[in-house]
Amino acid sequence: MDDAPRSSPHSTPRTPPQDGLTRARVAAMIDHTLLSPDASREDVQACVAEARELGVKAVCVSPAMLPVRAGELTVATVAGFPSGKHHSLVKAMEGRLAVDQGAREVDMVIDVGAAITGLVDEVMADVVTMRDAVPPPVVIKVILETAAIHKALGEEAGDERIEALCHAVARAGADFVKTSTGFHPAGGASVRAIEAMHRAVGGKLGIKASGGIREADSARAMIAAGATRLGLSGSRAVLAGFEN
């Protein structure tokens, strides 16, 4: 099989910070996210209302909160969240049910332990199982927990593993690679992780930075490094740092 990652209609070119990042342009890259375990349906409704007000790309909620009425917004959800320690078939059925309930994007968590120990083929098989369950045009984003990989392997070896995982995820048919759940104790998105992802699949797959992005400068840095989507719970605060 060809190792080259396939092209995706969901990816966008790498954008340097000096290239006119307006508030509207950044908003169109945001998944406005509510994945708190104690969120209520009223909280989800408020999240959707805020997402509409801010003009973001998508709203991302827990699968138990589906279906949601989001109007023109894309509805995203998660699978195998947050640990990734779910059987592949369970993740796939979670994704299938979510799509049946209106989700159009599924952010799935890999088995991070398998990734760290070098079982890249197992990670690829996990993603293939999800892709079979939720074929295009459903968008699959694959959460690598890059901070955990860097912590376990070190920066250089971590970069190499992240790049190998990105290539495997691309071969499996995913649309995006994503840094983090935001729940792992090792941390969230980093510029270094986004740069490694961009080297591997930039321009071919989307790259989602998620976890710990709370202000505009962090968002700018992630976009400059190659991020094409941002997962934010504090979207309003981030967008406040961009001009119209």
Side-chain angles (χ1 to χ4, degrees):
M1 183 178 291
D2 186 359
D3 285 351
R6 66 186 182 85
S7 179
S8 168
H10 307 287
S11 58
T12 57
R14 182 174 180 175
T15 306
Q18 67 270 21
D19 192 25
L21 284 178
T22 64
R23 184 185 186 282
R25 186 172 179 183
V26 175
M29 301 172 69
I30 291 175
D31 291 355
H32 189 53
T33 301
L34 178 63
L35 296 171
S36 173
D38 57 356
S40 67
R41 294 200 179 275
E42 290 73 20
D43 294 330
V44 170
Q45 290 171 359
C47 178
V48 171
E50 184 177 36
R52 285 174 169 167
E53 177 192 347
L54 295 173
V56 300
K57 165 73 175 178
V59 60
C60 183
V61 300
S62 299
M65 296 290 100
L66 298 172
V68 299
R69 293 183 178 179
E72 71 285 359
L73 294 169
T74 299
V75 175
T77 192
V78 292
F81 195 89
S83 72
K85 292 294 188 183
H86 305 65
H87 194 286
S88 293
L89 291 175
V90 173
K91 293 181 193 178
M93 290 307 298
E94 189 174 27
R96 180 68 257 170
L97 178 59
V99 171
D100 289 344
Q101 293 184 315
R104 291 297 171 261
E105 299 188 353
V106 178
D107 294 24
M108 66 171 290
V109 189
I110 65 167
D111 183 336
V112 184
I116 289 171
T117 55
L119 300 176
V120 176
D121 287 346
E122 288 191 11
V123 173
M124 185 168 70
D126 197 26
V127 181
V128 167
T129 303
M130 178 64 79
R131 182 82 281 176
D132 287 346
V134 288
V138 176
V139 172
I140 296 176
K141 309 188 201 90
V142 180
I143 305 172
L144 303 182
E145 291 291 18
T146 52
I149 293 170
H150 274 139
K151 182 177 180 180
L153 300 179
E155 290 187 341
E156 292 188 6
D159 287 352
E160 292 177 1
R161 186 61 48 79
I162 289 166
E163 291 179 36
L165 290 165
C166 287
H167 287 300
V169 164
R171 293 196 298 273
D175 302 283
F176 277 78
V177 284
K178 176 178 172 181
T179 57
S180 320
T181 60
F183 285 77
H184 199 286
S190 69
V191 166
R192 185 177 187 112
I194 295 295
E195 289 174 342
M197 291 168 149
H198 189 268
R199 285 194 298 271
V201 294
K204 299 181 175 65
L205 266 64
I207 299 172
K208 181 174 173 179
S210 184
I213 304 168
R214 298 184 178 90
E215 38 78 37
D217 285 346
S218 293
R220 285 189 181 92
M222 298 298 170
I223 296 168
T228 62
R229 192 81 71 90
L230 304 173
L232 307 178
S233 57
S235 305
R236 186 180 299 277
V238 170
L239 288 173
F242 293 91
E243 296 181 359
N244 292 328

